[in-house]
Every structure is written in structure tokens, then in C-alpha cells.
Amino acid sequence: MASVDSAGSSVSGWLRPGDLLHAGLAVALLLGVWSVGALEVSTGKVSELYAINGSTVLLPCTYSSCIGIKNLYFNWHYDDNGTMIKLCEAVIPSEGVEPRPKINHDRVTFVGSSKSNNISILLWNITIDDAGNYYCFAKNEKEKFRNHSAVYVLYVVDEIKVIDNTLTVIIVSVLGGVIGFSIIFMVIKGLLIQFVLTGDDKNKECLVSSGNDNTENGVSGAKADNKGTPKA
């Protein structure tokens, strides 16, 4: 029992509450730095495209890392009904050094640049069979080979259908006209009400003024009429 107590006291001496708190803060800080500097790849805000059969399309992809890169490996894959087909791959040794991509598809061209963190590709003369998911993948040796990927969806159609917005335009125009007419009607109504009220005020002033004059005349006349005839 004594040895256990001794060991327990020794352990408690090593792991003080303050030390545990500091260790927890250190771990949280490291995790925060790791998440902030983590490698990310992106295919843009709009990660899908409808393209016409036979056209050439850009498959966009960019990478970012707050702590920089070293021997950044990247590739593009196409998901062919569950079978991943590699389109191209390359390594960017360091910031600003252009890669030398290996192209595994005869209709693929690398158009990216490490100066703009761009690893995009062009796909030429697309066909209906080219429709599907394209994956941009990268891993960074400087972040202990942390990796990330993003998907870009390509739809291939024979023609782009133009949506007829005539009905929508008519509805919007009618609604706009109704709203505009309502506003004009309310303005005219307000002006008419103001005009009528102003006319009533003037009429009242005239009536009051006329009444005062008649009253004064009537009073003086009454006084004159009420005077008795002087006695002889």
C-alpha cells in the first residue's frame, strides 16, 4: 500500500491541475493551427457544367495552404462506373515552381500554374461518354502528406435548350404596370384630398368672416332699432 501511495503521490506531483490545463491549451492551439493551415483543393463555387457534345471544357481546380507547400502531389481522376481512371498527375516541388505533368489521356491538356495555385485541365472534343464525375486530388508533404480532394460534375448534351421566358416577362410587366398604376392612383387621390381639404378651409374662413361682419352690422342695427322714440 505504501508503494502505491508513493507512486500515486509521485504521479500527482507530475500532473498538477495547472499542468493539465496548459497541456490542454497547447493541444487545442496545435489543432487550431493545423486546421487553419490545412491543405484544401476546390473546383470553384459552381462545381458542375453542362457542355455540348464535341466541345472543349475546362475542369477547374485550385489548391491552398496557409503554411505553404513542399512536393505537392496532385492528380485528376475520372469515375468510369466505379473504375477510377487517372487522367494526369504531377508534383510541385515548392512555391512558384512549375510542375511537369504526366498526361494519361490523349484529349487532356494541363493548363494550370503553380504561380496561381492552379491545377486545372482541359478536356478536348468531349463525347457523351465523358459525362460523369471528375476528381481533383492533392497531398502536401509539408503537412505530413495531408490530402484533400474535390469533385467536378460534367454533363454532356447534344444541344443547349433555350428556355422561353416570354410568359415570365409578360407576368412581370403586368405586375409592374399594376403596381405603378396603384402608386399613381394613390398620389392623385392624396392630392385631391389635400385640394378638397384646402377648399373647405377657405370656405370656412369665408363663412366665419362673413358671419362676423353680419353680426357686427346686426348688433349695431339692433341697437339703433331698439332706441325708443324720444318723448315729446
Side-chain angles (χ1 to χ4, degrees), residues 6-169:
S6 176
S9 62
S10 177
V11 171
S12 64
W14 293 341
L15 299 177
R16 298 176 181 176
D19 295 336
L20 290 175
L21 178 60
H22 293 159
L25 291 175
V27 171
L29 181 60
L30 289 174
L31 290 175
V33 172
W34 175 258
S35 62
V36 170
L39 173 71
E40 288 188 3
V41 295
S42 172
T43 54
K45 294 181 179 180
V46 180
S47 58
E48 62 180 26
L49 173 69
Y50 284 85
I52 299 177
N53 187 12
S55 62
T56 298
V57 297
L58 172 69
L59 303 181
C61 187
T62 57
Y63 64 88
S64 62
S65 175
C66 293
I67 64 174
I69 65 167
K70 177 183 178 183
N71 293 329
L72 177 76
Y73 170 81
F74 70 88
N75 63 44
W76 275 92
H77 279 83
Y78 170 64
D79 185 2
D80 185 10
N81 295 323
T83 301
M84 302 300 290
I85 300 175
K86 186 181 294 184
L87 303 178
C88 75
E89 61 181 344
V91 174
I92 302 177
S94 59
E95 300 281 354
V97 179
E98 297 297 344
R100 297 179 179 179
K102 178 183 177 182
I103 307 298
N104 299 324
H105 195 288
D106 58 354
R107 290 186 288 114
V108 168
T109 301
F110 178 76
V111 293
S113 173
S114 61
K115 295 179 181 179
S116 56
N117 295 354
N118 192 330
I119 49 178
S120 304
I121 61 174
L122 282 179
L123 182 59
W124 296 84
N125 193 23
I126 62 174
T127 66
I128 299 296
D129 294 334
D130 292 326
N133 296 337
Y134 290 81
Y135 292 89
C136 176
F137 171 86
K139 62 180 179 180
N140 188 13
E141 181 179 324
K142 194 170 185 178
E143 297 180 69
K144 296 183 179 180
F145 296 99
R146 178 182 176 87
N147 62 78
H148 192 235
S149 63
V151 62
Y152 194 82
V153 184
L154 176 64
Y155 301 95
V156 182
V157 296
D158 289 328
E159 61 178 356
I160 302 296
K161 295 182 179 180
V162 179
I163 300 175
D164 188 2
N165 293 324
T166 304
L167 181 59
T168 303
V169 172

Side-chain angles (χ1 to χ4, degrees), residues 185-205:
F185 175 77
M186 294 300 293
V187 172
I188 294 175
K189 181 179 178 181
L191 292 175
L192 289 175
I193 292 174
Q194 184 65 30
F195 177 77
V196 171
L197 292 176
T198 303
D200 290 343
D201 292 340
K202 290 182 178 179
N203 291 334
K204 290 179 180 179
E205 291 178 359

